[in-house]
Amino acid sequence: LNENIQKLDGFLERFRETGILNRIAGKDVAGSAGTFANTSPVDKSVICDVAHGTAKDIDTAANAASDAFAKWRDMPATERRKILIKVAEGIEARAEEIALCECWDTGQTMRFMSKAALRGAANFRYFADQVVQARDGQHLKSPTLMNVTSRTPIGPVGVITPWNTPFMLSTWKIAPALAAGCTVVHKPAEASPLSARLLVEIAEEAGLPPGVLNTVNGFGEDAGKALCEHPKIKAIAFVGESRTGSLITKQGADTLKRNHLELGGKNPVIVFDDANLDEALDAVIFMIFSINGERCTSSSRLLIQDTIRADFEAKLVARVNNIKVGHPLDPATEIGPLVTEEHFNKVTSYFDIAKEDGATVAAGGVTVGDEGYFIRPTLFTNANNKMRIAQEEIFGPVLTSIPFSTEEDALSIANDTPYGLTGYVWTNDLQRALRFTDRLEAGMIWVNSANVRHLPTPFGGVKASGIGRDGGDWSFEFYMEQKHIGFAT
Ligand code: NAD
């Protein structure tokens, strides 16, 4: 822990001196509304000042992205590929710095953020390898025509990201946008600006031309809104809350913006009594108590068959009580502090809501110390699906356990939320798994597995969890336009 704290101190020194400036057209630019303070959730101390960007800065950045677009679009694919591979190498070389800064900024733990930084590199490598064929089209012969299709990058795009695993999520959007040939204006979450600054530096050091990736810090209702409304920005790739997704859609209406929305979830993990219960228990724990539970794909509702409920919940309580809450830079820590005071207040408010609704706090339900925003991992039992703890996205290390009796019962509970991001099904009955997954309303489902991401597969949600898919060629569908040309034969 001490070694990590010392290293972090070295990495943060420059930010303390200069603050975090916006980066537009390859230059550091102050925010037109001055600065705002960035604090750490670990001890509430100020980390550094951050440029407070507004509509004015977004306009400068959108113009920079627009000016840089033709050159980046027309650069030979092999050249663009080389630059993106170098970005991946740059991320790998600075992975420790990224992870340490991310933990201090967000409260996420080193245990998970060291892997998330490398996932950022993997995202760049994966999409770099798609650059050469990304624009390939088809030749479709019809009786009187040779029909040719091709794809071209849509233009400058806006990327708006949240504070949970911000580096990994930013690369997940920015890498395919750049690989498609788009230029980018990135508006990172106001609560976690550090790693976005590291990313733009790494990208420029790798040879990304000025203006291809621009970073403007600021708040959603001001800088974020202006990005959605800007006429030179052709599409918005957004990750965040469902209600913000609605705002993004409204704000982009006048300029007919194309939007990709990756939103919230209240994901069920359904455990049938015929499942491998030891493996299911591990997965249930992992999918809600890793990454501080601040994870869109977390399984925050456990649907447990009533025949095994008592035993499974007893084991769960013992495991949850053993989870180590502590300093996020300590490699042994499993759960760090929640990201901000506002989020801490939101998550802890559910401790009372659960009791008022008649559920039992079987584990946790308490805060830890008062130095930072720490809570104990929490399990609510004796819940039903009508309760707010079963319907609302809490977005913390908080699990609600709900019993079911039959397969039909489980399906109707699972589908009875506004959300539909992921689902996890544990059963050894193959036919049941096929029936159940067919009718489960979710964009992504794992059977007898936790969430294991495979980059070529589609990632995204249904219902209030989002519109659109990332991953593989689906990313290029979003960042590119299809063109058809018919040649008379
Ligand atoms: P948020 O919606 O509050 O903020 C996300 C980003 O949107 C921030 O950069 C914010 O400044 C910006 N923003 C806010 N209002 C805006 C507006 N009017 N116009 C433009 N931009 C605006 O979300 P958050 O609290 O930072 O993140 C947590 C949420 O993100 C959770 O709901 C979580 O489920 C979701 N999330 C989803 C996925 C996914 O892939 N589906 C992944 C991670 C997080």
Side-chain angles (χ1 to χ4, degrees):
L1 170 64
N2 286 341
E3 200 184 309
N4 277 345
I5 290 176
Q6 255 175 16
K7 279 186 194 161
L8 172 74
D9 206 46
F11 291 135
L12 289 182
E13 208 175 303
R14 50 173 283 219
F15 290 121
R16 286 192 206 103
E17 278 166 22
T18 61
I20 294 179
L21 291 161
N22 292 333
R23 190 82 184 162
I24 302 175
K27 293 197 177 69
D28 283 334
V29 183
S32 58
T35 59
F36 64 92
N38 179 30
T39 56
S40 172
V42 184
D43 61 2
K44 306 179 189 172
S45 64
V46 173
I47 304 174
C48 63
D49 290 332
V50 184
H52 185 166
T54 65
K56 192 163 169 257
D57 309 84
I58 289 289
D59 186 52
T60 314
N63 283 320
S66 179
D67 292 346
F69 175 59
K71 191 175 160 209
W72 179 243
R73 177 195 61 199
D74 297 340
M75 186 184 281
T78 47
E79 289 299 305
R80 281 190 294 116
R81 177 178 179 275
K82 259 190 225 158
I83 293 173
L84 297 185
I85 294 278
K86 275 197 187 161
V87 177
E89 289 166 357
I91 293 171
E92 280 153 2
R94 289 172 72 176
E96 192 179 37
E97 177 185 1
I98 295 164
L100 288 168
C101 288
E102 193 94 306
C103 292
W104 192 245
D105 214 5
T106 65
Q108 295 286 3
T109 60
M110 264 315 258
R111 168 187 289 255
F112 296 111
M113 286 312 100
S114 46
K115 291 188 193 116
L118 294 174
R119 245 296 293 286
N123 288 340
F124 266 93
R125 260 181 212 290
Y126 175 78
F127 286 108
D129 283 336
Q130 315 292 316
V131 165
V132 177
Q133 68 268 30
R135 293 187 193 165
D136 285 355
Q138 292 173 307
H139 291 179
L140 303 164
K141 180 92 180 70
S142 62
T144 58
L145 291 170
M146 173 57 81
N147 300 285
V148 176
T149 67
S150 68
R151 287 203 295 200
T152 53
I154 189 168
V157 299
V159 172
I160 302 178
T161 46
W163 44 256
N164 67 312
T165 62
F167 185 80
M168 196 281 286
L169 286 171
S170 304
T171 60
W172 179 230
K173 299 288 175 187
I174 292 170
L178 297 178
C182 295
T183 52
V184 174
V185 177
H186 179 203
K187 209 298 282 167
E190 47 272 36
S192 59
L194 286 180
S195 61
R197 171 68 198 198
L198 297 178
L199 178 61
V200 69
E201 281 178 12
I202 289 168
E204 288 179 6
E205 276 161 24
L208 202 72
V212 173
L213 172 61
N214 308 276
T215 309
V216 177
N217 293 283
F219 295 85
E221 57 275 20
D222 184 350
K225 180 168 180 280
L227 188 55
C228 299
E229 290 173 345
H230 203 285
K232 287 191 179 167
I233 297 294
K234 301 299 172 201
I236 296 285
F238 172 74
V239 186
E241 286 187 26
S242 299
R243 64 167 181 268
T244 316
S246 297
L247 289 174
I248 300 279
T249 308
K250 284 185 195 140
Q251 292 161 180
D254 284 347
T255 51
L256 293 175
K257 207 72 88 213
R258 180 185 292 184
N259 295 313
H260 182 174
L261 307 175
E262 282 185 20
L263 309 174
K266 191 71 186 176
N267 311 300
V269 50
I270 302 110
V271 183
F272 287 96
D273 60 8
D274 64 10
N276 180 328
L277 296 179
D278 290 336
E279 284 183 19
L281 185 65
D282 285 345
V284 167
I285 299 271
F286 178 75
M287 280 313 305
I288 184 65
F289 299 115
S290 58
I291 315 194
N292 288 355
E294 296 166 325
R295 177 180 195 169
C296 57
T297 53
S298 73
S299 53
S300 50
R301 283 185 302 153
L302 165 64
L303 275 49
I304 181 82
Q305 195 150 25
D306 48 13
T307 42
I308 51 168
R309 183 187 63 82
D311 193 41
F312 198 87
E313 282 180 352
K315 286 185 179 146
L316 202 49
V317 169
R319 290 279 293 271
V320 175
N321 284 333
N322 254 337
I323 291 175
K324 189 172 181 312
V325 176
H327 197 295
L329 299 192
D330 183 341
T333 296
E334 290 166 289
I335 292 186
L338 299 172
V339 67
T340 57
E341 182 177 12
E342 188 192 356
H343 191 58
F344 172 82
N345 289 340
K346 175 189 158 181
V347 174
T348 54
S349 73
Y350 284 94
F351 298 165
D352 286 337
I353 292 169
K355 288 180 222 155
E356 281 157 20
D357 282 357
T360 304
V361 182
V366 290
T367 59
V368 180
D370 53 12
E371 214 179 295
Y373 305 122
F374 295 89
I375 67 166
R376 283 291 316 161
T378 297
L379 173 67
F380 298 134
T381 56
N382 292 320
N384 66 56
N385 207 52
K386 297 282 170 253
M387 293 179 181
R388 287 181 62 191
I389 51 171
Q391 288 292 322
E392 297 172 15
E393 186 186 44
I394 300 173
F395 214 58
V398 179
L399 177 63
T400 300
S401 177
I402 302 163
F404 71 87
S405 53
T406 64
E407 187 183 316
E408 271 307 307
D409 194 16
L411 187 70
S412 93
I413 297 172
N415 286 341
D416 177 25
T417 73
Y419 297 105
L421 189 59
T422 63
Y424 306 87
V425 184
W426 286 85
T427 177
N428 276 326
D429 179 337
L430 176 62
Q431 278 175 311
R432 165 147 67 196
L434 288 168
R435 269 194 312 271
F436 201 89
T437 51
D438 188 45
R439 293 165 67 200
L440 187 59
E441 294 166 359
M444 297 169 282
I445 304 171
W446 282 267
V447 178
N448 297 334
S449 170
N451 168 352
V452 182
R453 185 80 193 103
H454 182 51
L455 295 182
T457 60
F459 184 103
V462 300
K463 292 157 70 177
S465 291
I467 298 175
R469 294 291 180 275
D470 266 319
D473 205 53
W474 286 276
S475 296
F476 293 132
E477 287 287 316
F478 179 71
Y479 295 109
M480 299 179 99
E481 291 283 19
Q482 307 275 352
K483 186 182 278 183
H484 161 261
I485 309 161
F487 293 93
T489 51

